[in-house]
Amino acid sequence: DTTSFAAQVAVDWRSLDLPEKEQAMLVYVEKITLTATSITKDDLDGLRSVGWTDREILDIALVSAYYCFRCRMADSLGVELDDGRVDPQLLEEIGRRHITAIR
């Protein structure tokens, strides 16, 4: 079930047995979210070394930055985001890229 898998990724992706490529992406996303100014060329080279293209890295950075912006805007305005709702486009993208746990 894609919805429950996406929820598991959101809650604790480290507990899932994900392929190395997806793990590298999530480390990068976490770094964008928590310490974006600490990202170096080595981080980008690490993504490339597991198979991410420059275009895909740009997409990852854009989506991650958008969600950071969205959350900060909501926080700054005292708006509650619907945390229980999973974005249907995100679920579609997860399915399109065939991101699945290794069994």
Side-chain angles (χ1 to χ4, degrees):
D1 178 13
T2 305
T3 303
S4 63
F5 177 70
Q8 286 177 309
V9 170
V11 171
D12 184 14
W13 64 268
R14 283 184 172 83
S15 69
L16 300 173
D17 190 17
L18 297 171
E20 181 182 27
K21 184 176 181 181
E22 278 71 30
Q23 288 178 26
M25 173 194 57
L26 292 169
V27 167
Y28 178 61
V29 167
E30 188 174 80
K31 200 167 186 181
I32 289 171
T33 303
L34 300 176
T35 59
T37 59
S38 70
I39 292 173
T40 67
K41 183 180 180 305
D42 289 341
D43 294 305
L44 301 175
D45 288 343
L47 290 168
R48 291 180 188 112
S49 75
V50 294
W52 292 106
T53 66
D54 286 347
R55 174 57 202 222
E56 290 170 326
I57 294 168
L58 174 63
D59 288 344
I60 294 164
L62 289 170
V63 170
S64 300
Y66 164 73
Y67 276 95
C68 290
F69 170 78
R70 181 178 170 260
C71 290
R72 283 178 178 78
M73 283 300 296
D75 288 346
S76 68
L77 298 171
V79 175
E80 291 290 324
L81 296 175
D82 184 2
D83 291 331
R85 186 180 76 77
V86 177
D87 187 328
Q89 287 180 323
L90 177 61
L91 288 177
E92 183 180 315
E93 183 64 15
I94 288 170
R96 186 181 73 75
R97 292 180 186 248
H98 305 290
I99 298 173
T100 57
I102 297 172
R103 306 243 184 248

